[in-house]
Amino acid sequence: PRAAAALDGFCARFVADAYGPVMKSLKDEFRRDSQRLEEGDRVVFFRIVRFFAAWQRASTRAGQPSAGQIVFTLDLFTFNLVLQSCEQYLERKRYADLAVAAAAYVEMLHLLYVMAAS
């Protein structure tokens, strides 16, 4: 219980203070296809998106405000990035990466559904 409360508090602070700027910066790097990006950065980005979308969805059910800064990763660019990555991972038979990207996509859709229903 204390660990869960600490994690929830961290997530709330991170989303309120840093999520938007960090994700905007990362998306800009993906947009530019920056040389600073490393091989696994896209998968890590998808894991972060999935985690915080799931956390936000759980928080929304618990009566906390919806989406907030999470909307920085519920845009058309991010959806396209996830879908294009799914296609690339499937073509290259990188099934573990495909699973991560698909999980992020599913969680993004779940959060959109919760937001639309509220």
Side-chain angles (χ1 to χ4, degrees), residues 36-86:
R36 297 188 307 184
L37 293 171
E38 296 180 10
E39 176 69 26
D41 286 350
R42 202 176 274 206
V43 172
V44 172
F45 176 77
F46 295 151
R47 285 185 174 143
I48 293 168
V49 168
R50 179 185 171 272
F51 176 82
F52 282 101
W55 173 81
Q56 185 65 50
R57 188 165 56 96
S59 297
T60 300
R61 273 191 255 128
Q64 294 181 7
S66 66
Q69 297 291 313
I70 302 295
V71 297
F72 279 98
T73 50
L74 293 179
D75 62 340
L76 188 58
F77 174 80
T78 307
F79 274 98
N80 282 332
L81 181 66
V82 172
L83 288 174
Q84 290 169 358
S85 297
C86 284

Side-chain angles (χ1 to χ4, degrees), residues 46 49-51 53-54 57 74 79 82-83 86 98-114:
F46 295 151
V49 168
R50 179 185 171 272
F51 176 82
R57 188 165 56 96
L74 293 179
F79 274 98
V82 172
L83 288 174
C86 284
L98 175 61
V100 171
Y105 188 75
V106 167
E107 199 56 54
M108 291 164 67
L109 290 176
H110 281 307
L111 181 56
L112 283 176
Y113 177 78
V114 168

Side-chain angles (χ1 to χ4, degrees), residues 14-45:
F14 180 78
V15 167
D17 299 337
Y19 186 86
V22 167
M23 298 312 258
K24 182 182 181 306
S25 176
L26 287 171
K27 288 187 334 182
D28 287 345
E29 295 297 320
F30 288 121
R31 238 182 228 108
R32 290 191 300 259
D33 199 21
S34 173
Q35 296 301 315
R36 297 188 307 184
L37 293 171
E38 296 180 10
E39 176 69 26
D41 286 350
R42 202 176 274 206
V43 172
V44 172
F45 176 77

